[in-house]
């Protein structure tokens, strides 16, 4: 019995270590969401319509050349996930691997994001993941304001179609864009809910930042816990 407990504790420690934590959180995650199984979302029966609307939007984007980012891209990275989800993650722009695979968050930062999603009690396919701009900026620089302005309509339409209960923005640029204030500092706003057209928006750090600053994973986990509470709440 005691051996089994020790084995379980060891496993748990290894799990948190794999996430980059140096110890156990004081408040371990409460059981995730009741409906739809372990961490899943109960289908609202609109998934088919939403999926079709997203497909139409993707067709509309086509081979978009709306800004200079079209010149260096391999693929447009539209976004992926459960169209019927209550939780969206929005980053700023695709990186090299994302550009090659036409999928959001599949590189090292994507691994950190996937771990966070799983730690929240979901599978990656339960949520929807997208970026503010759909094409990779050269040398992974930040997207520029005019590029964001050209592209933001697409992610706004994705949000409108999916209509999640909560959006978690990843990093400064996605928070500034959706909140509508280019002066906001991520360190000042993360961890606080904002309103985006009636949807709760929680800014948190970008996973790439967390790779460089693993000690701040605790802060992101705190933000994620607030999101989990919000998802469970009726309001
Ligand atoms: S970043 Fe957006 S607006 Fe610019 S080319 Fe790509 S899809 Fe079009």
């Amino acid at each position: 019995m005691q051996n089994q407990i020790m084995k379980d504790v060891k496993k748990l420690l290894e799990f948190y270590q794999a996430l980059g934590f140096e110890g156990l959180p004081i408040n371990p995650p409460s059981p995730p969401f009741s409906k739809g199984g372990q961490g899943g979302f109960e289908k609202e029966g609109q998934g088919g319509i939403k999926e079709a609307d997203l497909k139409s939007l993707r067709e509309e984007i086509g081979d978009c050349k709306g800004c200079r980012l079209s010149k260096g891209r391999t693929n447009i990275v539209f976004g992926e996930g459960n169209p019927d989800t209550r939780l969206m993650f929005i980053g700023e722009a695709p990186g090299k691997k994302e550009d090659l695979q036409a999928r959001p968050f599949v590189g090292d930062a994507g691994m950190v994001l996937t771990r966070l999603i799983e730690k929240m009690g979901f599978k990656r396919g339960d949520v929807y993941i997208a970026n503010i701009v759909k094409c990779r900026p050269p040398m992974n620089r930040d997207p520029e304001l005019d590029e964001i302005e050209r592209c933001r309509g697409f992610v706004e339409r994705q949000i409108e179609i999916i209509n999640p209960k909560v959006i978690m923005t990843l990093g400064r640029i996605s928070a500034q864009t959706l909140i509508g204030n280019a002066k906001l500092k991520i360190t000042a706003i993360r961890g606080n809910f904002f309103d985006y057209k009636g949807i709760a928006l929680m800014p948190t750090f970008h996973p790439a930042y967390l790779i460089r600053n693993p000690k701040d994973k605790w802060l992101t986990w705190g933000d994620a816990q607030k999101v989990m509470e919000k998802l469970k709440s009726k309001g």
Side-chain angles (χ1 to χ4, degrees), residues 61 64-67 69-70 73 76 133-135 150-151 154:
I61 295 172
C64 178
K65 294 190 170 50
C67 78
L69 295 183
S70 65
R73 74 167 179 238
I76 287 177
V133 300
K134 307 297 184 198
C135 303
R150 287 289 181 122
C151 203
F154 298 141

Side-chain angles (χ1 to χ4, degrees), residues 36-93:
Q38 175 74 15
F41 288 112
E42 188 180 39
K43 292 278 179 194
E44 292 166 359
Q46 297 171 357
I49 298 167
K50 292 180 178 184
E51 199 164 345
D53 287 348
L54 288 170
K55 196 163 169 265
S56 300
L57 175 61
R58 179 63 191 90
E59 281 164 9
E60 196 183 306
I61 295 172
D63 190 28
C64 178
K65 294 190 170 50
C67 78
R68 68 182 81 83
L69 295 183
S70 65
K71 295 198 182 97
R73 74 167 179 238
T74 312
N75 287 297
I76 287 177
V77 183
F78 179 68
E80 66 181 25
N82 177 2
D84 222 10
T85 189
R86 289 184 290 143
L87 178 58
M88 278 183 86
F89 289 87
I90 301 181
E92 59 198 44

Side-chain angles (χ1 to χ4, degrees), residues 138-198:
M139 310 299 288
N140 289 351
R141 66 158 167 77
D142 288 345
E144 291 174 4
L145 270 182
D146 62 323
E147 295 158 352
I148 290 171
E149 283 312 309
R150 287 289 181 122
C151 203
R152 63 182 294 167
F154 298 141
V155 78
E156 286 172 352
R157 297 261 300 281
Q158 284 174 300
I159 297 169
E160 197 183 323
I161 292 167
I162 293 165
N163 190 25
K165 182 164 183 176
V166 183
I167 298 168
M168 261 189 115
T169 54
L170 305 166
R172 173 180 60 87
I173 287 173
S174 54
Q176 287 177 341
T177 303
L178 294 182
I179 295 168
N181 184 341
K183 290 188 178 152
L184 296 174
K185 286 190 169 27
I186 188 68
T187 45
I189 60 171
R190 58 139 286 279
N192 297 289
F193 279 110
F194 289 77
D195 177 76
Y196 173 82
K197 299 182 182 177

